Amino acid sequence: MRVHHARMGLAAATALAVTACGGGGGTNVASTPPPPVGPTPTPTPTPTPTPPPPIAPAHLGLVSSEPFAVLATSVRGTTDSAGMHPVPLSGPTFDDVQFSYDGSTNTYEINLPGFQPGELGNTSYNGSSGQPAVGSFSQVAVGSSSTFQPVFVTLPVPGTSYSPYTYTSFGQWTGQTGTTSNNQIGIVEGIFAYGIPTAAGDVPVTGSATYSAEIRATYGFQSYPQVGGDATLSFNFAAGTLSGFMHPEVADSFDGIFIDFGRYDFTQTVYSTGSTSFSGRFIVPGLPNADSSFEGNFTGPNAAELMARFEAPFLVDGQQGTLSGAWVGKKN
């Protein structure tokens, strides 16, 4: 910070008077006293400049002339009238979500269960100051109006480290669904994967491929931090078979939270040669007979990427709960 210093100088004025009296003479010198010195003014500090916001991306998410394929899951609950003490109403559910992009207006519209379809607006961006944004946080309008609903959508910017894919990406939403008769607030949290689906007939029918995917999931209502981890899916395109596993975990070094949910091997998989979709169940660690499921589809040309959603119970240190979320991945 640069500080400007103000300095006051002392102005001294001297008058010289010469007089003659009688037969003699003399010289009298009269000095004007200096002005009083007051306190030095306090320097005015230079204001600290406000850092610039992240640079808005050209598009909030993927772009496509056709509606995206979407696979979503959510959990619902209530809080008290102050929005505190959340209580889940039920386990996770697979949701029907529609999401699309309008290139003529560069806008996105989403239709979420319990809300009216609407465009994303009131958008702010996440990322480093003055650098390209890595994500966005938007409110959902009523249609294309300026009236907004109490529901928000978070999207990573495709192609960044938060979503390093070309044809597929993630999204999340949080919202308030209303107020009950005893003044509780209904709330919902959801995770979805969306993408440009692989066209029928564009899935390989010979050879095989392995896909590496990342997990975005929750392990309970308003769970923090979010579940990450990875999944591996191996397809034999010619034989029409699928094998693999997912390994969900929480690795939050900042808060010191580490949870390893174990390896969930695939079982009872359903995939046939040329199909654009697939599904299956898990062998749940510690709960071999527990019910679980996943379902997904290929995205991009020649099945370059894929996405899926899942739900499965967990048993960690004697505590049980349910994992729910999505995968996005690409061919190795």
Side-chain angles (χ1 to χ4, degrees):
M1 180 181 295
R2 183 172 55 195
V3 179
H4 300 284
H5 294 281
R7 178 176 298 167
M8 294 185 64
L10 301 180
T14 303
L16 178 63
V18 179
T19 59
C21 181
T27 301
N28 295 320
V29 178
S31 298
T32 302
V37 178
T40 301
T42 302
T44 302
T46 302
T48 302
T50 301
I55 301 171
H59 311 288
L60 298 183
L62 299 170
V63 296
S64 174
S65 59
E66 300 294 330
F68 300 111
V70 184
L71 294 172
T73 181
S74 69
V75 289
R76 288 165 173 77
T78 60
T79 69
D80 59 25
S81 58
M84 305 295 288
H85 306 106
V87 177
L89 291 176
S90 62
T93 59
F94 286 174
D95 285 318
D96 181 17
V97 171
Q98 289 88 46
F99 191 39
S100 61
Y101 170 72
D102 186 342
S104 65
T105 57
N106 193 25
T107 56
Y108 291 81
E109 181 174 288
I110 195 165
N111 187 355
L112 297 165
F115 300 94
Q116 297 185 55
E119 294 180 358
L120 301 184
N122 272 353
T123 301
S124 58
Y125 299 97
N126 303 322
S128 300
S129 172
Q131 299 299 311
V134 296
S136 64
F137 182 71
S138 303
Q139 197 167 0
V140 182
V142 176
S144 58
S145 72
S146 58
T147 300
F148 289 93
Q149 305 174 77
V151 58
F152 298 84
V153 173
T154 302
L155 296 173
V157 175
T160 66
S161 59
Y162 289 87
S163 185
Y165 306 101
T166 304
Y167 309 103
T168 329
S169 192
F170 289 105
Q172 294 179 247
W173 81 94
T174 59
Q176 295 184 359
T177 58
T179 304
T180 66
S181 58
N182 57 352
N183 292 323
Q184 291 180 320
I185 300 172
I187 50 179
V188 59
E189 298 176 349
I191 297 173
F192 63 93
Y194 74 100
I196 301 170
T198 301
D202 197 25
V203 177
V205 294
T206 61
S208 60
T210 298
Y211 294 74
S212 295
E214 61 179 300
I215 300 170
R216 301 278 177 89
T218 62
Y219 57 100
F221 193 67
Q222 290 197 336
S223 59
Y224 179 83
Q226 193 174 69
V227 176
D230 57 76
T232 297
L233 298 89
S234 297
F235 292 88
N236 186 320
F237 293 125
T241 61
L242 165 63
S243 61
F245 65 91
M246 76 167 179
H247 191 170
E249 62 181 357
V250 174
D252 180 9
S253 58
F254 182 82
D255 295 304
I257 302 175
F258 299 92
I259 305 173
D260 188 341
F261 295 95
R263 173 168 160 151
Y264 287 66
D265 288 309
F266 295 176
T267 186
Q268 300 179 42
T269 57
V270 177
Y271 173 69
S272 58
T273 299
S275 176
T276 60
S277 62
F278 52 88
S279 62
R281 300 179 183 276
F282 303 103
I283 300 174
V284 178
L287 300 168
N289 298 318
D291 191 25
S292 62
S293 67
F294 69 86
E295 59 183 33
N297 57 264
F298 295 110
T299 53
N302 200 38
E305 297 177 358
L306 57 71
M307 64 183 192
R309 61 183 172 185
F310 70 91
E311 64 85 19
F314 67 83
L315 176 63
V316 176
D317 296 332
Q319 300 296 313
Q320 292 193 38
T322 303
L323 292 162
S324 63
W327 306 328
V328 170
K330 59 185 176 181
K331 191 182 298 182
N332 293 343

